Amino acid sequence: MTLSDIENGIVLAVDKPYGWSSFQVVNKIKWQIKRQLGIKKFKIGHAGTLDPLATGLLLVCVGKATKSIEQLQQGEKVYSGTIVLGATTPCYDMEQAVDRYYPAQHIDKQLLESTRQQFLGEIQQVPPMFSAIKVEGSRAYQYARDGEPVEIAPKSVMMYEFDILDTRNLGNADVERTVQTIELPAEKSPELYRNPQGHVPEGLPQVDFRIRCGKGTYIRSIARDFGLAMGSGAFLSSLRRERVGDYSVDDALTISSGKDMDL
């Protein structure tokens, strides 16, 4: 990267690693540019947050390219990942431990297919409480961490494709769970996003998927609603963003701790 890249603006496609926040990625690139080019002040930001437990494409805009952040966020996105059926977590992924089990033995491929079709086109979804969406001037996750109830209004999102790629443990006769609420620890950790607490309970059904969707779609909410629509529960166990608009993770830069990126 050169000074002219900063002056003219550049969009960096980065493959965000598991466990990193989007802010950490931006901060690492920021300090590397400062050190290598001797620049003290410049604009930098990302076009769409990825949760710490998600991996894949994060677009980092530098210099004048920050003016295109809103436009980039409008682009279609492609995600792949895994949904676990028969249980829920408070944040809809594995940042927290399972808080409830549900029956899932009735779920078969026919039910998966008919339910999948309900999630195509324009749908309504409620963003997760553990998300960066703003509610009354604060981030929703701040209320969630403090245990404060807050109402998040549903919003319309577009689902262009929702494909089921593979399944595991459907109709597993060894898993006999009725609806059961789990007693979770009372303490609340402000470092929730740094200390994942969840895991995939043995034997629960799992569904591998690929989704092509529009702006503002929370895949964690899709997972939660998918389970509810089948008379069960569900949470997201893995997520990878493969594409944003014309940008693909196949062409993205890699990043790791303690090493400079090849900017």
Side-chain angles (χ1 to χ4, degrees):
M1 182 179 292
T2 65
L3 286 173
S4 63
D5 290 326
I6 306 298
E7 293 171 356
N8 297 325
I10 188 171
V11 177
L12 300 175
V14 181
D15 188 349
K16 189 192 81 65
Y18 179 89
W20 285 55
S21 69
S22 299
F23 175 79
Q24 284 177 299
V25 174
V26 171
N27 207 39
K28 180 177 179 66
I29 293 173
K30 176 182 177 180
W31 286 108
Q32 183 177 331
I33 291 174
K34 281 188 173 184
R35 189 179 68 255
Q36 291 182 351
L37 300 182
I39 303 175
K40 292 185 177 180
K41 189 175 181 180
F42 59 93
K43 292 183 177 180
I44 186 170
H46 63 76
T49 303
L50 265 182
D51 293 332
L53 298 191
T55 66
L57 186 60
L58 182 72
L59 299 182
V60 179
C61 301
V62 184
K64 291 182 179 179
T66 54
K67 295 180 180 180
S68 65
I69 285 179
E70 184 174 350
Q71 179 182 350
L72 290 169
Q73 289 176 329
Q74 300 293 331
E76 292 182 5
K77 299 172 180 67
V78 176
Y79 295 92
S80 61
T82 300
I83 295 172
V84 178
L85 304 174
T88 57
T89 70
C91 50
Y92 313 158
D93 66 6
M94 294 203 301
E95 289 282 0
Q96 291 182 300
V98 166
D99 62 351
R100 203 174 190 191
Y101 285 109
Y102 295 78
Q105 286 183 297
H106 64 286
I107 299 176
D108 56 20
K109 290 187 177 181
Q110 183 177 355
L111 180 57
L112 285 174
E113 175 59 22
S114 61
T115 306
R116 177 194 70 83
Q117 294 181 23
Q118 300 174 26
F119 286 79
L120 295 173
E122 184 175 354
I123 65 172
Q124 294 286 314
Q125 74 166 199
V126 178
M129 273 297 298
F130 286 90
S131 67
I133 192 171
K134 282 197 171 183
V135 181
E136 299 178 359
S138 298
R139 302 294 184 184
Y141 63 74
Q142 294 174 319
Y143 293 105
R145 289 174 180 176
D146 294 337
E148 298 181 21
V150 63
E151 185 174 346
I152 302 179
K155 62 176 185 175
S156 297
V157 297
M158 284 299 300
M159 291 278 287
Y160 300 106
E161 297 177 7
F162 183 6
D163 298 325
I164 294 175
L165 307 179
D166 197 9
T167 62
R168 290 175 295 283
N169 299 329
L170 287 186
N172 188 350
D174 294 331
V175 179
E176 295 183 2
R177 291 190 174 103
T178 57
V179 178
Q180 176 188 4
T181 301
I182 308 300
E183 192 69 32
L184 296 176
E187 64 271 12
K188 302 179 182 67
S189 171
E191 294 298 320
L192 173 67
Y193 288 108
R194 301 290 181 267
N195 297 284
Q197 302 172 33
H199 70 282
V200 179
E202 186 177 353
L204 289 184
Q206 299 182 44
V207 177
D208 297 335
F209 67 87
R210 178 171 287 111
I211 285 173
R212 181 169 66 91
C213 59
K215 177 187 176 183
T217 305
Y218 282 90
I219 308 301
R220 282 181 290 150
S221 289
I222 296 295
R224 181 269 316 271
D225 294 344
F226 191 59
L228 286 174
M230 292 186 291
S232 186
F235 66 91
L236 195 66
S237 64
S238 69
L239 183 67
R240 182 166 178 78
R241 187 152 67 192
E242 299 180 356
R243 182 174 290 276
V244 177
D246 295 329
Y247 293 87
S248 171
V249 72
D250 294 336
D251 305 316
L253 302 169
T254 58
I255 185 171
S256 60
S257 299
K259 295 182 179 180
D260 283 348
M261 299 176 63
D262 186 17
L263 300 178

